[in-house]
Amino acid sequence: MPRTETPGVPVAQQSAEGPLSGTLVLDLATLFAGPLAATILGDFGAEVVKVEHPRHGDPSRRHGHAKNGVGLWWKMLSRNKKTVTCDLSTDEGSALVRRLAEQADVLIENFRPGTLERWGLSPEVLHAANPGLVIARVTGFGQFGPYAGRPGFGTLAEAMSGFAAITGEPDGPPTLPPFGLADGISALTCANAVSMALVERTRSGRGQVIDLAIVEPLLTLLGPQPLWWDQLGVVQERTGNRSVNNAPRNTYRARDGRWLAVSTSSQNIAERVMHLVGHPEVTAEPWFASGAGRARHGDELDAYVGGWIAARDSAEVVAAFEAAQAAVAPVYDIRDVFADPQYQALDSITTVDDDELGPLRMQNVLVRMSRTPGSIRWAGPPAAAHNAEVYGTRLGLTEDDLAGLRAKGVI
């Protein structure tokens, strides 16, 4: 469903199109950064043509839970995409994609370096036919360097970026996230880079190649770690839910068993929390005047805050923190997200009608735009659902042509 420009006014009732309307994107990528980048572009109006292998299909169709044999992750990851099948390793298959690329604005791929070149689809070949094409190449380690040829999944990026080393309890092992964090961050980065390249193209008229290594976006989000090491020789250690920059900052269990997260990133919030939990005296301590000083006294502050919260039910804690203008949030699972009135007001989880499975509830588009909003027009479709439309309309292939290609295993 569309986001709304004004609360309560469906975008479907307005005439605006997504900001990328008229942009053709070829999604050749799999698992998961490249495809999600294409999803984001499609959410905001781009026409995305998803290219799958004719026999194996896209791996995300078989990833995670399924209903009636239909992969649910696929429904989200390939929403707003037109699906075609094509064996890129065949001469006829690569020729089909090359012809589509001549009309496209963006091509996203995540094969190992050299694969597109082997199929006759190198950037040089593609740009010779379409100088304005933006080519996003998403790999684990980039297009060059000693690791370029390695398989590069998000898990490796989470390990090698330094993220896992600082995640977990101090006396426990490094902890990996239970979802595709590095892939997701790389997808956002890729969609942003593609948008920047399209803006630049309006000035130069030329496309370019985006070389995105999945190990790098997460490294950027780790903030000052490189500077700390470079300038001070400091290596950040695991601190559990605590922060080295402020305290109290942790998760605390309420009397009814619910967990709540407390943050005191600003000085005045920290002072409000300590007044609320009945220990205003600590705010006069010299060490309390800085986040780092408070972090060094984390045990003491956690005992005060944790003890106060443990004596109360979670709803009472949240109400008291809100009244004190202090920062607290319950720790949600997906059931809580569905039930939360703020998420409901934002339509963060929206309903999409699907021909295969009926109404589906999934994440809405990322942001609300007042004049050119994004929307979810359909969920991930069946394999080859748009072969006739895309190959027929864009390349002029007839039903006999398509039948011949199917017989050869090309589509």
Side-chain angles (χ1 to χ4, degrees), residues 172-198:
T175 302
L176 295 167
F179 67 102
L181 176 64
D183 281 306
I185 292 171
S186 295
L188 292 168
T189 304
C190 181
N192 187 38
V194 167
S195 299
M196 288 189 287
L198 290 174

Side-chain angles (χ1 to χ4, degrees), residues 47-51 78-84 378 381 385-386 389-390 394:
E47 179 185 356
V48 180
V49 174
K50 171 69 182 178
V51 180
S78 290
R79 67 193 193 191
N80 294 333
K81 298 181 183 180
K82 297 178 178 180
T83 57
V84 301
W378 62 83
H386 299 91
E389 176 187 338
V390 172
R394 291 200 167 270

Side-chain angles (χ1 to χ4, degrees), residues 96-117:
L96 287 177
V97 168
R98 194 157 50 245
R99 291 177 62 191
L100 288 174
E102 291 176 6
Q103 304 177 30
D105 300 283
V106 179
L107 183 148
I108 300 175
E109 63 98 3
N110 70 337
F111 302 106
R112 291 195 201 185
T115 302
L116 280 190
E117 286 80 357

Side-chain angles (χ1 to χ4, degrees), residues 45-342:
E47 179 185 356
V48 180
V49 174
K50 171 69 182 178
V51 180
E52 299 183 76
H53 193 279
R55 292 176 295 283
H56 308 307
D58 190 274
S60 65
R61 289 185 180 274
R62 302 178 295 279
H63 230 77
H65 294 287
K67 181 180 179 181
N68 300 334
V70 178
L72 295 175
W73 201 337
W74 167 263
K75 286 295 177 184
M76 178 268 178
L77 190 63
S78 290
R79 67 193 193 191
N80 294 333
K81 298 181 183 180
K82 297 178 178 180
T83 57
V84 301
T85 50
C86 183
D87 187 345
L88 296 174
S89 67
T90 66
D91 290 341
E92 289 175 285
S94 64
L96 287 177
V97 168
R98 194 157 50 245
R99 291 177 62 191
L100 288 174
E102 291 176 6
Q103 304 177 30
D105 300 283
V106 179
L107 183 148
I108 300 175
E109 63 98 3
N110 70 337
F111 302 106
R112 291 195 201 185
T115 302
L116 280 190
E117 286 80 357
R118 189 169 67 250
W119 292 337
L121 296 170
S122 69
E124 293 77 15
V125 169
L126 297 176
H127 279 151
N130 181 358
L133 183 66
V134 173
I135 303 171
R137 312 194 76 171
V138 183
T139 57
F141 302 100
Q143 295 294 313
F144 57 91
Y147 301 160
R150 292 183 181 181
F153 296 106
T155 298
L156 307 187
E158 289 145 11
M160 293 181 66
S161 65
F163 170 83
I166 64 169
T167 305
E169 295 299 324
D171 57 351
T175 302
L176 295 167
F179 67 102
L181 176 64
D183 281 306
I185 292 171
S186 295
L188 292 168
T189 304
C190 181
N192 187 38
V194 167
S195 299
M196 288 189 287
L198 290 174
V199 169
E200 192 281 333
R201 193 181 66 175
T202 64
R203 298 193 298 269
S204 68
R206 299 172 59 195
Q208 56 186 298
V209 177
I210 297 167
D211 178 4
L212 192 155
I214 294 175
V215 293
E216 290 185 306
L218 192 53
L219 178 62
T220 297
L221 293 194
L222 294 180
Q225 279 197 47
L227 285 164
W228 289 349
W229 167 248
D230 177 60
Q231 297 296 306
L232 301 173
V234 171
V235 177
Q236 185 173 338
E237 304 291 341
R238 290 189 290 283
T239 56
N241 290 323
R242 287 183 176 176
S243 169
V244 297
N245 302 311
N246 62 77
R249 193 264 198 180
N250 214 325
T251 57
Y252 307 92
R253 196 171 191 176
R255 182 171 58 191
D256 58 6
R258 295 297 302 268
W259 289 90
L260 301 115
V262 172
S263 175
T264 56
S265 294
S266 67
Q267 183 68 25
N268 61 345
I269 295 291
E271 292 173 1
R272 290 173 193 167
V273 169
M274 299 319 298
H275 279 81
L276 173 63
V277 302
H279 289 278
E281 73 281 359
V282 299
T283 64
E285 296 287 346
W287 52 262
F288 197 88
S290 72
R294 297 197 307 273
R296 289 192 293 270
H297 290 259
D299 288 343
E300 179 182 350
L301 298 177
D302 272 350
Y304 292 149
V305 175
W308 186 88
I309 289 176
R312 292 160 175 82
D313 288 342
S314 55
E316 180 185 352
V317 173
V318 171
F321 267 71
E322 287 185 352
Q325 298 185 49
V328 70
V331 176
Y332 278 177
D333 63 24
I334 193 60
R335 295 168 294 187
D336 302 311
V337 171
F338 269 56
D340 184 86
Q342 180 63 30

Side-chain angles (χ1 to χ4, degrees), residues 1-19 43 347 364-365 367-376:
M1 296 293 289
R3 286 293 198 179
T4 56
E5 178 177 297
T6 304
V9 181
V11 171
Q13 297 175 8
Q14 305 167 22
S15 59
E17 293 182 314
D43 284 352
D347 196 27
N364 211 331
V365 299
V367 295
R368 286 162 291 280
M369 298 181 70
S370 64
R371 192 170 52 81
T372 56
S375 64
I376 303 173

